[in-house]
Amino acid sequence: MPYALYTPAAADKLDFSPAQSLTVIALCALTALISNMALAVFNDGARPFLLDFIRGNTRRGEMTAVSFGLSAGFVFGLGAPMALSTGVLNPWLLFLPTDILGLLAPRRWLAPILGGAWGAVVVFGLSGANNAAHDLPVDFLTAMQEMATPILFLFLLFPVIAIASQFGRVRGAVTFTVEITIVVISMKVWPDQFPGALAMAAGVLMLLGFALAKDLRARRAAAAPPRPADAPGAARIPVEGKADDEPAADPMASLFGANAERLRRHLPWFALLGAVLAAVVNMHIFGGGEATSFLVAKGDYGEAAQVDFYRAFGFLPLIATTALASGAYQIVGFTFVYPLAYLAPNAAVAAVGGAVLFTVEVLALSYIGKGLTMLPSIRDASDHLRSAIGKTLEIAILFGAIAAAAKMGGGLGITLVGGLYLLNESIGRPIVRLAAGPAAVVVAGIVLNVLHWLDLFTPLKG
């Protein structure tokens, strides 16, 4: 189907083969165990708190409460609705609960049991929920497929937002023009391919180019001849208790080095994690992001690989710095495992590639941290990318939720979904914006079915 207006075919029934089910259960068991060992968690917000937990300054119950508070909204508001509407698993549904269960388990042997149990709930329980929801008079899961087009076609503009934020409105407008031009040409020349992939590539390359040029200019300026006040022989103010040529101690460098060494000591666990994760992704039952879940559902694995590859650059510095500061890595690494596994010819090759990739990532952490300090504009560009991804998806998911509301309930559906979203905003946003739209669609769908049973609402035809 051409991508001019993308609505996937009917969602899969979430029926997994025995091999797929066992691999997902094994992955959930492993991620819960690794969380229990405080080696890695999926929630980036929880990772900075793990340093105190590793040192024994925070109790297990307190750490579990932090993880649950940061994760629950994403699990039930984003992870579950996205899986039910696309028929594809996602990291919020699998790994945020295993973060919590792993931290909760008082004994190490219990963590993989709890994680595996969650994996079993997902692979066996979602199918029944999916079938039951599709049998309702108001099929809100099929309506949620309307979210695909806004998410895919607005998400491709996140480099525009990042460039405008970091380098100003002129360069942002130029990038917007370039991306729209590429989309128009792609839709004309390659109508069956997702046009956002090339547009995103151009936008990310332009951002990195602007950032690298800024860093190079700064380096040239720093290498310029010193001013008279800085010339050799100029007066220098001595520091009491410190030799003139003695380098200042850097406590952060010492901490980063110790934490990097801690992760390297557990390298076999990360290699195993990379192998099992890559195998699950290669089975094409898993999407690494909001946009890629719909692409995987349609079978466009090449486009999904491109989208997740570009997205990874927005999170690499955050993952690297929090891992070095806390001594705990990201469950999915730098997320480059996603494109690798999408494109691997089979699960065995993907597993080998995932193990090698995670090994290289952990070994390279210290070097990546040092490199980020030498390229401040590149680091800032990544921060702007990550922020732009969040802002873009908030708007895209909201638009998609409104489209789903109109599909399942017309004006009443829009009132319910829009009203629930606004209510969430007005009471302090107990559900984060990314999850508020899908959660509102699910709640509104249930309400519309209740109204139908009370003979107060007639489902829309088609």
Side-chain angles (χ1 to χ4, degrees), residues 29 35 40 48 95 113 133 195 223 237 248 271 311 323 345 357 361-362 379 392 399 405 407:
S35 171
F95 304 141
I113 294 176
I237 301 175
R311 180 191 178 115
L357 179 62
E361 288 182 1
V362 172
R379 184 181 64 246
T392 305
F399 284 7
K407 177 77 172 181

Side-chain angles (χ1 to χ4, degrees), residues 105-186:
R107 296 289 184 270
R108 186 148 298 170
W109 59 266
L110 184 58
I113 294 176
L114 294 176
W118 174 253
V121 168
V122 169
V123 296
F124 298 119
L126 279 183
S127 177
N130 184 289
N131 293 336
H134 281 301
D135 290 337
L136 292 172
V138 180
D139 184 358
F140 57 87
L141 292 186
T142 298
M144 285 184 69
Q145 294 176 1
E146 296 295 317
M147 298 175 65
T149 299
I151 289 175
L152 287 170
F153 282 88
L154 288 178
F155 181 73
L156 66 88
L157 295 174
F158 72 84
V160 175
I161 309 303
I163 289 174
S165 300
Q166 186 175 3
F167 297 105
R169 65 187 69 177
V170 174
R171 291 182 179 180
V174 170
T175 307
F176 177 79
T177 303
V178 170
E179 287 208 22
I180 294 299
T181 301
I182 292 174
V183 169
V184 172
I185 294 173
S186 298

Side-chain angles (χ1 to χ4, degrees), residues 39-431:
L39 290 179
V41 291
F42 179 73
N43 194 312
D44 292 321
R47 197 173 308 113
F49 296 95
L50 281 174
L51 182 61
D52 283 338
F53 177 66
I54 293 168
R55 290 174 169 175
N57 298 328
T58 300
R59 291 179 296 180
R60 186 170 294 277
E62 296 170 336
M63 192 63 234
T64 303
V66 169
S67 182
F68 181 84
L70 293 171
S71 303
F74 283 102
V75 176
F76 301 107
L78 184 62
M82 286 291 292
L84 289 169
S85 62
T86 63
V88 173
L89 302 177
N90 58 69
W92 305 281
L93 180 64
L94 292 186
F95 304 141
L96 289 178
T98 58
D99 281 359
I100 300 167
L101 294 170
L103 292 169
L104 175 66
R107 296 289 184 270
R108 186 148 298 170
W109 59 266
L110 184 58
I113 294 176
L114 294 176
W118 174 253
V121 168
V122 169
V123 296
F124 298 119
L126 279 183
S127 177
N130 184 289
N131 293 336
H134 281 301
D135 290 337
L136 292 172
V138 180
D139 184 358
F140 57 87
L141 292 186
T142 298
M144 285 184 69
Q145 294 176 1
E146 296 295 317
M147 298 175 65
T149 299
I151 289 175
L152 287 170
F153 282 88
L154 288 178
F155 181 73
L156 66 88
L157 295 174
F158 72 84
V160 175
I161 309 303
I163 289 174
S165 300
Q166 186 175 3
F167 297 105
R169 65 187 69 177
V170 174
R171 291 182 179 180
V174 170
T175 307
F176 177 79
T177 303
V178 170
E179 287 208 22
I180 294 299
T181 301
I182 292 174
V183 169
V184 172
I185 294 173
S186 298
M187 294 177 75
K188 182 67 175 178
V189 179
W190 305 290
D192 295 329
Q193 302 298 317
F194 175 51
L198 288 176
M200 275 187 282
V204 171
L205 287 174
M206 291 176 72
L207 174 63
L208 295 177
F210 292 146
L212 185 60
K214 183 177 179 180
D215 282 335
L216 292 176
R217 287 195 300 269
R219 285 200 168 194
R220 284 196 295 267
R227 294 171 299 175
D230 298 326
R236 300 176 64 186
I237 301 175
V239 178
E240 183 177 355
K242 175 180 177 293
D244 193 45
D245 295 327
E246 180 184 344
D250 186 351
M252 291 303 295
S254 177
L255 174 64
F256 282 13
N259 287 335
E261 175 59 28
R262 176 179 187 265
L263 296 176
R264 287 195 293 270
R265 287 199 307 269
H266 295 90
L267 198 57
W269 285 111
F270 291 111
L272 178 61
L273 174 62
V276 182
L277 174 60
V280 168
V281 175
N282 180 262
M283 291 175 177
H284 301 145
I285 57 172
F286 182 99
E290 300 87 345
T292 43
S293 290
F294 289 106
L295 290 170
V296 171
K298 196 179 180 184
D300 293 337
Y301 309 124
E303 284 84 351
Q306 293 181 68
V307 171
D308 273 343
F309 179 78
Y310 306 137
R311 180 191 178 115
F313 290 101
F315 290 88
L316 189 152
L318 172 69
I319 294 169
T321 53
T322 55
L324 290 171
S326 67
Y329 198 39
Q330 164 63 265
I331 283 290
V332 296
F334 290 135
T335 72
F336 290 114
V337 67
Y338 294 154
L340 180 149
Y342 291 141
L343 300 177
N346 55 60
V349 173
V352 173
V356 172
L357 179 62
F358 266 48
T359 300
V360 171
E361 288 182 1
V362 172
L363 293 176
L365 264 177
S366 296
Y367 302 101
I368 293 172
K370 293 176 182 177
L372 291 173
T373 62
M374 298 172 61
L375 297 170
S377 294
I378 293 289
R379 184 181 64 246
D380 292 345
S382 184
D383 292 339
H384 284 285
L385 266 181
R386 189 172 63 256
S387 175
I389 287 171
K391 292 177 181 178
T392 305
L393 283 173
E394 285 176 2
I395 299 298
I397 290 175
L398 176 59
F399 284 7
I402 295 299
K407 177 77 172 181
M408 70 181 180
L412 179 58
I414 292 173
T415 300
L416 285 171
V417 171
L420 288 169
Y421 186 92
L422 293 173
L423 180 62
N424 182 67
E425 289 287 308
S426 65
I427 60 177
R429 209 175 298 143
I431 300 177

